[in-house]
Amino acid sequence: GAVVSQHPSWVICKSGTSVKIECRSLDFQATTMFWYRQFPKQSLMLMATSNEGSKATYEQGVEKDKFLINHASLTLSTLTVTSAHPEDSSFYICSARGDRGYNEQFFGPGTRLTVL
Amino acid sequence: AQSVTQLDSQVPVFEEAPVELRCNYSSSVSVYLFWYVQYPNQGLQLLLKYLSGSTLVESINGFEAEFNKSQTSFHLRKPSVHISDTAEYFCAVSAPQGGGYNFGAGTRLAVHP
């Protein structure tokens, strides 16, 4: 149980295009999902908190117009990197908070984005 | 807010030797603590977690960690490492009531034959 998937697992795009990454909780409902990014050989940094049916909450320094987050259902959150540039190349990882009433999160396998 | 410090960026060790990866946290409230392992070009895998109860938690592959409230630590240990344990290890902390996880900088465990 408590499986989280991400799609795609990797994506290469041209500078200036937009890329959408999906995060799904496969066997549980997740009212809250989180998006992290990880630069090479670095740790994970929380980007934003996504709540079903409401606007995402972004961490300080994260551009909300650049990284659009939509949490349209209890099992799906999407992250859209708009007008991507090479500096947006990173490993993006989502997590979903479990439905057991306490803050235990389950992580997706990650999406590697390379912007050329 | 909670934070985590992993003091060792790299830990080299010989196969079958014991290892300890250090993790200290800072928080004014109760916390949840986690250890994750990440192999190259892969996502995070949960090793073990402390939510409440017994302060000593164990994983299925021989790792253990002990929650020490007085020393605000959650060090990861293994009595005998294998080559396959070579990976990046992240300690993370969260608040029980909600919010994202705060990750440490990571410790690169390199097991040598």
Side-chain angles (χ1 to χ4, degrees):
Chain A
V3 179
V4 176
S5 69
Q6 282 185 242
H7 178 80
S9 56
W10 58 270
V11 57
I12 302 173
C13 70
K14 293 182 178 180
S15 184
T17 60
S18 295
V19 174
K20 180 185 284 188
I21 302 170
E22 294 184 347
C23 176
R24 294 182 184 272
S25 57
L26 298 184
D27 51 2
F28 66 101
Q29 294 185 331
T31 55
T32 305
M33 292 183 172
F34 303 87
W35 287 96
Y36 300 80
R37 70 185 297 181
Q38 183 182 30
F39 290 108
K41 300 187 184 301
Q42 294 187 30
S43 187
L44 284 77
M45 299 298 294
L46 179 65
M47 297 175 65
T49 301
S50 167
N51 293 296
E52 187 265 339
S54 64
K55 291 184 178 180
T57 303
Y58 292 82
E59 296 298 303
Q60 190 173 10
V62 177
E63 300 176 61
K64 62 180 180 181
D65 295 329
K66 173 81 170 167
F67 298 100
L68 300 180
I69 292 173
N70 183 273
H71 194 155
S73 77
L74 288 172
T75 59
L76 174 65
S77 176
T78 60
L79 169 68
T80 301
V81 184
T82 62
S83 186
H85 292 284
E87 57 266 30
D88 298 323
S89 298
S90 188
F91 196 46
Y92 292 88
I93 302 174
C94 73
S95 72
R97 175 172 169 166
D99 54 3
R100 304 180 192 177
Y102 54 89
N103 191 25
E104 182 177 5
Q105 297 172 25
F106 302 94
F107 286 81
T111 296
R112 185 161 303 282
L113 170 64
T114 301
V115 184
L116 302 177
Chain B
Q2 306 81 34
S3 65
V4 166
T5 301
Q6 291 181 249
L7 293 171
D8 308 302
S9 59
Q10 296 186 62
V11 173
V13 64
F14 287 109
E15 193 173 19
E16 298 184 3
V19 71
E20 177 181 84
L21 306 184
R22 296 181 292 170
C23 172
N24 287 91
Y25 70 93
S26 174
S27 176
S28 58
V29 297
S30 60
V31 295
Y32 289 164
L33 290 158
F34 307 85
W35 275 102
Y36 287 88
V37 60
Q38 185 178 38
Y39 298 99
N41 298 311
Q42 295 188 27
L44 298 178
Q45 297 179 28
L46 177 66
L47 261 184
L48 39 76
K49 61 188 178 188
Y50 170 77
L51 305 181
S52 65
S54 173
T55 57
L56 183 65
V57 290
E58 300 176 346
S59 72
I60 58 174
N61 55 357
F63 284 96
E64 66 177 31
E66 185 163 18
F67 171 61
N68 189 319
K69 188 175 182 179
S70 63
Q71 297 185 10
T72 61
S73 67
F74 191 57
H75 301 331
L76 181 70
R77 300 183 182 94
K78 189 170 185 179
S80 177
V81 295
H82 301 289
I83 296 288
S84 59
D85 293 324
T86 294
E88 190 83 22
Y89 291 79
F90 292 99
C91 182
V93 63
S94 77
Q97 66 273 21
Y101 287 6
N102 287 315
F103 284 85
T107 297
R108 170 76 177 163
L109 175 62
V111 182
H112 301 282

